[in-house]
Amino acid sequence: MGEKIRDYSKLAKDILEAVGGEENIVNATRCATRLRIVLKRSKPEAKAMVSEMTGVITVVENSGQFQVVIGQHVGEVFEEFSNLVKLDSSEAVSDNKGTILNRIIATMSAVFAPFVYILAAAGILQGTLILLNLLFPSFAETGTYEVFSFISWAPFTFLPIFIAITASNHFKSNPYIAVAAIAALVSPTWAAMAGRIAEGETISLLGMALTQTVYTSSVLPPLFLVWILSYLERFLNKRIHEVIRPLFVPFISLVIMVPLTILLIGPLSTIGANGIANGYNFLAENAPAVAGAVIGGFWQVLVIFGIHWGVTPMVIANFDLYGRDSFQAYQTIAVIAQIGAVLGVIIKTKSQETKKMGVSAGVTGLFGITEPAIYGITLKFKKPFIFGSIAGAVGAITASFFNPYYFAFAGLPGPLTIVNGIGSESPSSIWGILIGCAIAIILPIVLIQIFGYGENVVEKEGLTDSTKEQPDLAVETINVNEESIHAPLRGQIIPLSEVSDEVFSSGAMGHGVAIEPLDNQLYAPFDGTVVMIALTKHAIGLRSNSGVELLVHVGLDTVMLKGKPFTLHVEDGARIKKGDLLMTFDREFIQNEGIKITTPLIITNTQSYKEVIIENILDGLVGDKLLTVVK
């Protein structure tokens, strides 16, 4: 869109306020689609409040994190949020840290998510070079190949430097000290010394023999170094006078942490990472079908809860040790299976809103990012997610008979990285991956065409005049399995897909319609309860007596008006009757502020119903039937 339709600064402020303010924040990071916040104290009402905000797809609370799923604009929101939250690095960490597993997962996410696109770009470059070498065998002998090859490997060779930057932010240590310490570990001098040790020479440090461990491309040694460094820094900062602190804290930190890592932290953590990698490899080599079934079938479940970053050290250890990895081969098949499920829904549905949302989600899936597909389509309708998981398992099991491997690391495994499975060490690998991917994309399409996707869509044009009810302010249902939603205000009816805000138009929040209001009163569309009132009064959440949940969002970006044009006539939790006055608003004031008055009406629990029928009317009066939900 040509115009800016969201105020990311305002959204960041609203999220911060909803979760309890800066004093309740332990840490905040981001990944490809989520703002990840670690809270000192969980607020039960925060999830519902943030989920309702314009620009937020959904909220997931897991692994000790409050994860706000935003999508492609998460970078803008995180930038604004990080400007608002300035934590004291010397401040003690909250006691409410969650389980050890949750803290490990949260740390992995915070460390790897910020630079995953760098690794993904390098992986795509490596895949491109693989293809060029296949097409032009002599290309590998050129200087052009050599230059682009070392460019593609640079992020992996100096991966510990990236970890130093992100881990120091996560653990609240000085990033320059962290980088200096880890730069020493990846220096050519240490690599040469480790090579001499490997050849049999004995080199001692403080009377202790050094091991041949090298730290380029390593994950756990730099991670543990920065973690321990954060405690050492806080200890030194409290005890060294401020006059000499800027010099002696770095000095003492370097002379302690680098030798400590070379002597102890590095060898032990490397053994641990390699041990985990070897454990997975044992399963993959001795029971490949089991490994394929587990990864292909359940990988996207880990994505739902945002805990998928935990496998990164193991995967990188595999590439470092063996130059290949089968986990990412199976992972790619799982990703493509969700894309197949989205395509199945696009083919099956008659809803233009669902088709539009599916296309958007499918495009992001091409780059290995499946959150929009999961939250917008597959998990929303449930069946597609299940079919996608089944297809991922079947595809990965089939691929397992061909010894599938990735020979170049893929930051975001998906369709664009399939070429990473080409390698002379296992010529059958790429064929297994291609066959597995074909099954993963075709099987969910077929299953959805046969069994549906959770919504029995009918053509609105197929309705006869006898099925159209006349407007009435009395409670109206077609039968026990249906309920009608009536117009809460007078105005022009427009399809949700035409709303100039992709959060609404994509259907990610649910099905519905929008109204261009012609007056200033909002009435209850059914009998039920007020379950949510936005802090800025611009939106109301309602629940009917039968359980239909409806969000009425008066205007687009009206949250920016801080409630000025709105007057509420009900309170949160109030019982309502169809036709009750809920709100009055100053339509002219909103328009004079340059904000669109378009009012979306969203069935937020669309997934709980077989279908949502949208009535074919252009201009609505209060009480006209707009929607029919079918259980």
Side-chain angles (χ1 to χ4, degrees):
M1 297 179 186
E3 59 179 339
K4 182 178 178 181
I5 60 172
R6 294 192 188 90
D7 185 337
Y8 299 112
S9 176
K10 177 62 176 172
L11 178 56
K13 290 178 182 176
D14 289 344
I15 293 173
L16 181 60
E17 182 179 350
V19 299
E22 181 178 356
E23 63 276 6
N24 196 36
I25 305 296
V26 175
N27 195 18
T29 58
R30 56 155 291 196
C31 62
T33 58
R34 311 179 195 209
L35 172 63
R36 297 166 177 264
I37 308 170
V38 180
L39 303 176
K40 294 178 181 178
R41 298 171 302 280
S42 177
K43 295 185 63 178
E45 70 276 14
K47 182 176 181 179
M49 292 173 63
V50 176
S51 296
E52 184 273 336
M53 294 176 183
T54 299
V56 174
I57 297 174
T58 189
V59 173
V60 178
E61 291 187 272
N62 194 68
S63 305
Q65 294 182 337
F66 188 87
Q67 303 174 13
V68 185
V69 183
I70 295 171
Q72 62 180 338
H73 298 292
V74 67
E76 292 95 325
V77 178
F78 174 71
E79 182 178 355
E80 297 292 344
F81 192 88
S82 60
N83 290 336
L84 298 172
V85 180
K86 298 178 177 62
L87 298 179
D88 183 357
S89 62
S90 65
E91 197 174 272
V93 180
S94 166
D95 292 335
N96 185 16
K97 298 178 181 178
T99 66
I100 293 177
L101 178 61
N102 284 347
R103 290 161 62 186
I104 291 173
I105 292 170
T107 298
M108 292 299 176
S109 172
V111 170
F112 292 105
F115 58 79
V116 66
Y117 284 115
I118 303 300
L119 301 184
I124 290 174
L125 179 55
Q126 290 181 16
T128 303
L129 293 175
I130 290 172
L131 283 179
L132 289 173
N133 284 334
L134 287 175
L135 296 173
F136 310 101
S138 62
F139 178 67
E141 307 300 324
T142 66
T144 302
Y145 169 80
E146 289 187 74
V147 170
F148 283 106
S149 179
F150 79 67
I151 290 173
S152 72
W153 282 108
F156 302 103
T157 300
F158 297 101
L159 180 62
I161 301 294
F162 289 94
I163 293 175
I165 296 169
T166 56
S168 61
N169 179 63
H170 180 68
F171 293 122
K172 307 304 176 188
S173 65
N174 186 313
Y176 301 104
I177 299 176
V179 169
I182 291 178
L185 297 179
V186 298
S187 69
T189 301
W190 170 248
M193 292 175 64
R196 288 157 49 197
I197 295 171
E199 293 173 356
E201 182 179 344
T202 299
I203 301 177
S204 299
L205 172 64
L206 302 175
M208 291 176 280
L210 298 177
T211 66
Q212 63 191 48
T213 306
V214 292
Y215 299 99
T216 53
S217 303
S218 64
V219 172
L220 293 185
L223 192 59
F224 280 112
L225 183 155
V226 178
W227 177 47
I228 296 173
L229 173 64
S230 67
Y231 287 99
L232 176 61
E233 276 189 59
R234 284 194 284 271
F235 175 84
L236 295 175
N237 283 327
K238 291 179 180 178
R239 288 162 176 81
I240 296 178
H241 193 277
E242 61 182 6
V243 174
I244 60 173
R245 186 183 301 158
L247 174 62
F248 280 91
V249 169
F251 169 72
I252 297 173
S253 296
L254 289 174
V255 299
I256 290 178
M257 291 310 306
V258 175
L260 180 64
T261 302
I262 292 175
L263 288 170
L264 186 63
I265 297 173
L268 290 180
S269 58
T270 299
I271 291 172
N274 293 346
I276 294 172
N278 288 332
Y280 164 75
N281 292 332
F282 179 83
L283 174 66
E285 292 170 6
N286 292 277
V290 175
V294 171
I295 300 166
F298 294 99
W299 174 252
Q300 295 301 314
V301 176
L302 301 184
V303 174
I304 289 175
F305 297 106
I307 60 177
H308 48 301
W309 297 104
V311 304
T312 303
M314 179 199 74
V315 171
I316 292 179
N318 267 339
F319 282 106
D320 189 40
L321 288 171
Y322 310 110
R324 65 183 189 182
D325 172 68
S326 63
F327 193 100
Q328 289 202 319
Y330 296 132
Q331 184 182 343
T332 294
I333 295 171
V335 168
I336 289 177
Q338 290 299 311
I339 299 174
V342 170
L343 291 175
V345 174
I346 292 173
I347 295 170
K348 182 72 172 178
T349 185
K350 295 181 176 63
S351 166
Q352 292 302 313
E353 293 180 24
T354 302
K355 286 181 184 291
K356 181 178 178 181
M357 177 174 56
V359 171
S360 176
V363 169
T364 59
L366 294 176
F367 297 93
I369 301 172
T370 54
E371 280 93 338
I374 292 172
Y375 293 117
I377 295 288
T378 61
L379 191 63
K380 177 180 178 180
F381 295 119
K382 295 185 176 67
K383 281 186 180 180
F385 183 82
I386 295 172
F387 293 153
S389 297
I390 292 172
V394 174
I397 290 172
T398 304
S400 70
F401 294 101
F402 295 82
N403 296 317
Y405 292 103
Y406 261 27
F407 297 94
F409 181 85
L412 295 169
L416 297 182
T417 65
I418 290 175
V419 294
N420 292 17
I422 300 174
S424 58
E425 185 178 343
S426 178
S428 64
S429 169
I430 186 62
W431 296 109
I433 295 173
L434 288 172
I435 294 171
C437 289
I439 293 172
I441 203 165
I442 294 172
L443 183 56
I445 294 175
V446 173
L447 292 174
I448 288 171
Q449 306 319 300
I450 296 173
F451 298 105
Y453 65 94
E455 182 185 55
N456 184 21
V457 179
V458 298
E459 291 286 345
K460 295 192 293 291
E461 293 77 9
L463 295 174
T464 64
D465 291 340
S466 62
T467 64
K468 297 180 180 179
E469 303 293 333
Q470 296 300 317
D472 193 339
L473 290 181
V475 176
E476 177 183 6
T477 56
I478 299 173
N479 59 49
V480 294
N481 292 320
E482 299 182 2
E483 181 172 355
S484 296
I485 311 299
H486 298 270
L489 68 168
R490 181 172 67 92
Q492 180 185 359
I493 312 301
I494 63 173
L496 203 59
S497 59
E498 296 181 8
V499 175
S500 59
D501 188 316
E502 62 186 3
V503 173
F504 296 117
S505 62
S506 67
M509 297 185 67
H511 290 183
V513 296
I515 300 177
E516 294 286 353
L518 295 177
D519 58 25
N520 298 326
Q521 291 82 38
L522 178 71
Y523 297 91
F526 46 56
D527 292 355
T529 307
V530 178
V531 294
M532 186 280 301
I533 295 177
L535 294 176
T536 50
K537 306 178 186 178
H538 67 288
I540 294 182
L542 308 172
R543 182 184 294 119
S544 73
N545 290 337
S546 67
V548 177
E549 296 178 359
L550 180 73
L551 172 67
V552 182
H553 195 287
V554 182
L556 305 179
D557 290 333
T558 41
V559 65
M560 299 167 58
L561 301 178
K562 301 180 180 179
K564 292 179 182 178
F566 303 101
T567 301
L568 295 172
H569 299 277
V570 291
E571 296 179 351
D572 194 359
R575 296 287 303 169
I576 56 173
K577 288 286 187 180
K578 186 167 175 289
D580 286 351
L581 181 63
L582 304 179
M583 173 201 296
T584 55
F585 52 92
D586 190 335
R587 185 164 54 96
E588 291 74 17
F589 176 86
I590 296 172
Q591 292 173 326
N592 290 338
E593 291 292 318
I595 296 176
K596 294 184 178 181
I597 194 61
T598 306
T599 299
L601 282 69
I602 310 293
I603 307 293
T604 55
N605 60 340
T606 296
Q607 71 278 5
S608 299
Y609 298 93
K610 289 184 178 179
E611 64 176 306
V612 176
I613 301 172
I614 301 173
E615 299 300 322
N616 188 21
I617 59 175
L618 298 178
D619 296 294
L621 300 174
V622 174
D624 283 356
K625 184 172 69 173
L626 294 181
L627 306 168
T628 300
V629 294
V630 182
K631 296 180 181 178

